[in-house]
Amino acid sequence: MVRASVVGAGMTKFGVHDSPLQELFGQAAFEAFDDAGVDPADIEAFYFGNAMGGQTENDTHLAPKLASHVGIAGVPAQRFEDACATSANAFKHAVEAVESGRHDVVLAGGVERCTPVTGKDTPEMTTIFASASHRQYEQPTGLTFPGVFALLTKRHMHEYGTTEEQLAEVAVKNHAHGQLNDRAHFGKQTSVEEVLEGPVVADPFRLMDCCPFSDGASAVVVVSEEKAAAFDRPVDVVGLGHATDVAPICDKHTPHATQAARDAAAQAYAQAGWDGSEVDFAEVHDCFTGAEVMASEAIGLIEDGQGGVAAAEGRTSLGGEIPINPSGGLKAKGHPIGATGTAQIVELTEQLRGIAGERQVPDATRAVAHNLGGDAATTLVTAMEARL
Ligand code: COA
């Protein structure tokens, strides 16, 4: 099996965009082409994520539409939908297409618009997002995604004594990181006091514990290891884990342990030949502060039960022992659902090339991205290495 490498990365600023999905994705894709130095004619296949375009803006069958817009009509093009893990799965398939020898140069990415530019307000978007929860057991109860992660986090608090103050520290850290990222949705700092005084969204989460609804797009160019040698600063994909957990959450034995993340991380680390103790930094799926705490433990970066303590002690901040979400994460960078997974890969690529500017993790050579979907039922963990 050949290995795959990322040789080009692009993304829009995350926030509010009134351009149609095609144009938004085009910005990210052309940036990735330029970064790689490839021509659209070089692209042999296209894998991308868009979770909810049909429900949010009556826009489906996006594969040929996006391909046409970025000048690659004619190549096989495939849309993925895995709730919030949508574009990590698209990226995984792009990497596998290269690893299998089927294609040499592939475009992967994602795009989504979730703000009121779609004509949908917060209650409507919350209802649409809830379609990713269990149709028979969760949706009839009125469970929303802030509610799903609030339940998992409450269990974590019960098991380990994690506090609301520790959760708030995660938000403070990610807003501090997001301030260093000019593509982040939010550029403003917050404080533990501000987080704890915010309106309750779903106990224990307050406004500042939640990621926002965002619009945005991200894209990467993936090539075979052999071709990568001809490119400037390729970053190698050395592990791809993908696992599912039982859904609905009432059937999970240890809901706070997020088993799919543990399984996906084990797969990725086995392929990489290293584990969480050797990771220099990570991008994890912090859709809510409690989700980052559980993810950092599940993928082996922090001891079980200590995710909140680690954030409060600064261990997961830039400059700390294991920086988590140097981009600002979903909390501050934003969360345009289908664009989030490949945006994490963009951050890993820039950091491992040493070009992340003020938020650069010094001497970073090994990193992981953790992207989850639905009621913690799908998780992908991607391990990447700088080519030294
Ligand atoms: N973090 C920080 N600030 C936020 C924010 C967030 N998540 N969401 C909104 N704000 C800010 C807005 O910028 C705005 O500030 P301003 O008054 O200075 O302009 C203010 O709060 C009100 O914004 P509004 O859009 O009216 O918020 P809302 O009450 O409609 O929605 C949430 C806030 C938290 C309920 C909404 O963002 C949410 O549901 N987030 C979770 C999304 C989700 O579930 N994603 C899937 C994850 S699995």
Side-chain angles (χ1 to χ4, degrees), residues 243-286:
T244 52
D245 194 1
V246 287
I249 53 175
C250 60
D251 283 345
K252 295 186 202 294
H253 293 293
T254 49
H256 60 286
T258 57
Q259 190 58 43
R262 287 168 198 266
D263 295 343
Q267 294 170 25
Y269 292 144
Q271 293 161 27
W274 38 263
D275 65 20
S277 67
E278 294 163 274
V279 167
D280 293 316
F281 76 94
E283 286 286 303
V284 311
H285 196 92
D286 58 327

Side-chain angles (χ1 to χ4, degrees), residues 79-98:
R79 170 196 164 197
F80 288 78
E81 183 278 300
D82 277 287
C84 302
T86 283
S87 57
N89 201 8
F91 177 73
K92 175 198 168 202
H93 281 77
V95 169
E96 288 178 343
V98 167

Side-chain angles (χ1 to χ4, degrees), residues 91-140:
F91 177 73
K92 175 198 168 202
H93 281 77
V95 169
E96 288 178 343
V98 167
E99 288 176 339
S100 72
R102 169 78 67 175
H103 298 295
D104 271 339
V105 186
V106 178
L107 178 66
V111 63
E112 200 92 43
R113 298 198 309 169
C114 307
T115 71
V117 295
T118 61
K120 305 281 191 303
D121 60 13
T122 296
E124 289 171 296
M125 286 306 297
T126 302
T127 304
I128 290 171
F129 279 29
S131 67
S133 64
H134 199 283
R135 179 76 182 128
Q136 284 74 40
Y137 298 130
E138 292 176 334
Q139 291 178 29

Side-chain angles (χ1 to χ4, degrees), residues 281-285 299 323-330 333 343-344 347-348 351 368-371:
F281 76 94
E283 286 286 303
V284 311
H285 196 92
I299 66 171
I324 294 180
N325 285 322
S327 71
L330 283 60
K333 185 180 65 183
Q344 292 180 326
E347 180 69 13
L348 261 58
Q351 290 277 355
V368 284
H370 157 280
N371 186 203

Side-chain angles (χ1 to χ4, degrees), residues 84 122 126 129 145-146 149 175 186 201 207-208 210-213 285 287-288 331 335 337:
C84 302
T122 296
T126 302
F129 279 29
F145 270 95
F149 284 90
H175 273 263
F186 295 123
V201 174
L207 174 71
M208 295 300 286
C210 305
C211 67
F213 291 114
H285 196 92
C287 47
F288 302 94
K331 171 71 267 272
H335 186 24
I337 308 296

